[in-house]
Amino acid sequence: MTREDSSPGDAAAPARRVRPSWWRMLGRDRAAAVGAVVLTLVTLVALLGPLFIGDRAQRQDLDASLRPPSLGDGPYGLLGTDVLGRSMVARLIEAAATTLSVAVPAVLCSLVIGSALGLWAGYHGGRRESVAMRVADVILSFPSLLIAVVVLYVFSPSALNLVLILAVTRIPVYLRTARAEAAELRSRLFVDAARTFGTAGRMIICRHILPIALPTLLTVATLDFCFVMLTESSLSFLGIGIQPPDVSWGLMVAQGRQYLQTAWWVTVLPGLAIVLTTVSATVLAAWARIATDPAQRWRLTLPTRRRTASAPVPPEMIP
C-alpha cells in the first residue's frame, strides 16, 4: 500500500507500544547481566557440585598440605589445598551449598512471615497495625548479629538454629515494608471497589495488594540475602556458626586466617566468593527495582551510553 492509499485515520492512530522483555532489559544492563550470571553459576555449583565431588572436600592428604594452585594436579588442584591437604575446589563447592542452605531458607521464612503480617496489619490498620509495629520495633531495637551471638552461645550452634535466629531477626524488615505498602494501597479506588462488592479482606490482600507490593518485597529480599549471608559468614568466623565437619565460606576464612602470609589462597578464595556473591546480588537487586517499576522501566530500554546523559521524557509522559 502506497502513502497515497493510506487513510488519515491510520496516520492518526497511535503506534502500538511493545513492552520490552525481561531478557532484553537485562542484556542492556551489563552490570546486572554479569551479576545474574554469577548468581546463576553459584546456584548451579551449590546444587549440582556436591553430586560430583563426593567426599573430596573432607579427604585429607597431609603430604599435599598447603600446596599452591597448580595446573598439574588435576581439576581439584587448580586452587591449591588447605593445611590438611584437602582440595580447595571441592571445599569451596561444598561451602557454597552450606552457605546457600542457610541464607536462602532464612530469607524465605522471614519474607513469607513478615510480608503476611505486614500486609494484614497495613490493610486492617487500627490496633492490629499498632501491635504489629511495636513488636517489630522491639526486635529491631536489638542488633540482629548480637541476638544471634547470644542465642547461639546459649544453645548449640547448628545450621537449623542459625536459620531460625536469622529468620526471626529479619522478619521486621519485611513487616514494615509490607505494612507501608498495604497502608498506602488500602485507600486506592480499586480496593474500595472490591470492598464495595463484598470481597473479603483476605481476598483483597491476595488479589489486589500483594501483586503490587511483591516487586518491592522481592527487591528487599535480594538485598537481605546479602546481609544474611554476611551474618552467617561472620558467625562462622567467630566460631558459633557452622561447625566442622561442615564447611561454609565464613568458616573457611576463619580456619585459614593464620596461614594468610604463607598460603593466601586458603583465606582469599572463600572471601572472594563472599564478595562476588554479595556484590552480584546487590547489583541485580538495583536492576530488579527499576525493572519492576512501571514508571522507571523505560530507562532500561535506553542504550548504555544514553543513561548517563540527561534522561529524555518517557513515552508515557508525552501528551
Side-chain angles (χ1 to χ4, degrees):
M1 182 175 63
T2 62
R3 182 177 301 179
E4 290 78 6
D5 296 333
S6 61
S7 61
D10 295 336
R16 184 179 180 181
R17 300 191 185 112
V18 179
R19 181 179 176 179
S21 64
W22 295 98
W23 295 111
R24 182 174 299 178
M25 289 189 296
L26 183 61
R28 287 181 176 272
D29 194 325
R30 297 178 181 177
V34 172
V37 170
V38 172
L39 290 180
T40 302
L41 290 177
V42 171
T43 304
L44 292 178
V45 167
L47 293 177
L48 303 179
L51 301 178
F52 297 96
I53 63 175
D55 62 342
R56 291 183 180 273
Q58 305 298 335
R59 188 182 303 174
Q60 302 180 9
D61 184 6
L62 297 180
D63 293 334
S65 177
L66 298 179
R67 183 173 294 174
S70 174
L71 297 176
D73 296 331
Y76 293 103
L78 291 176
L79 301 180
T81 60
D82 64 356
V83 66
L84 296 179
R86 295 171 294 192
S87 171
M88 287 294 296
V89 172
R91 288 182 64 78
L92 285 173
I93 293 174
E94 185 170 332
T98 304
T99 300
L100 293 186
S101 67
V102 172
V104 173
V107 171
L108 289 179
C109 290
S110 57
L111 171 64
V112 173
I113 298 175
S115 300
L117 293 176
L119 293 175
W120 171 78
Y123 174 76
H124 293 286
R127 183 176 299 178
R128 304 174 188 179
E129 183 179 10
S130 300
V131 172
M133 293 306 297
R134 296 297 79 75
V135 173
D137 292 340
V138 170
I139 298 177
L140 287 176
S141 62
F142 299 95
S144 56
L145 184 59
L146 179 61
I147 296 178
V149 169
V150 173
V151 173
L152 292 176
Y153 182 79
V154 175
F155 300 95
S156 59
S158 64
L160 179 59
N161 291 338
L162 195 57
V163 171
L164 292 178
I165 190 60
L166 290 177
V168 170
T169 55
R170 304 309 296 171
I171 285 177
V173 176
Y174 302 97
L175 194 154
R176 299 180 70 174
T177 303
R179 197 279 312 174
E181 292 283 340
E184 192 272 334
L185 293 172
R186 68 185 177 190
S187 60
R188 294 286 186 91
L189 184 59
F190 61 89
V191 176
D192 290 337
R195 194 183 298 113
T196 302
F197 282 101
T199 307
R202 175 172 54 85
M203 299 304 297
I204 293 177
I205 294 175
C206 295
R207 292 185 177 181
H208 301 287
I209 297 180
L210 178 60
I212 299 178
L214 188 59
T216 301
L217 293 172
L218 292 179
T219 303
V220 174
T222 306
L223 293 173
D224 198 46
F225 168 79
C226 304
F227 178 85
V228 171
M229 192 176 70
L230 290 175
T231 303
E232 181 276 324
S233 301
S234 302
L235 294 173
S236 299
F237 183 84
L238 295 175
I240 55 176
I242 301 298
Q243 300 295 312
D246 295 331
V247 59
S248 69
W249 287 336
L251 182 60
M252 292 180 66
V253 174
Q255 292 176 341
R257 65 182 185 274
Q258 57 183 332
Y259 307 104
L260 187 58
Q261 295 182 350
T262 57
W264 57 267
W265 57 90
V266 180
T267 301
V268 171
L269 293 180
L272 185 61
I274 295 173
V275 172
L276 287 178
T277 305
T278 53
V279 171
S280 299
T282 303
V283 173
L284 191 61
W287 172 86
R289 183 66 188 93
I290 300 177
T292 55
D293 188 354
Q296 301 291 331
R297 187 184 297 125
W298 62 274
R299 298 179 181 273
L300 298 177
T301 62
L302 298 176
T304 306
R305 290 178 295 180
R306 293 181 59 184
R307 294 180 198 171
T308 56
S310 57
V313 179
E316 294 79 5
M317 301 298 293
I318 299 178

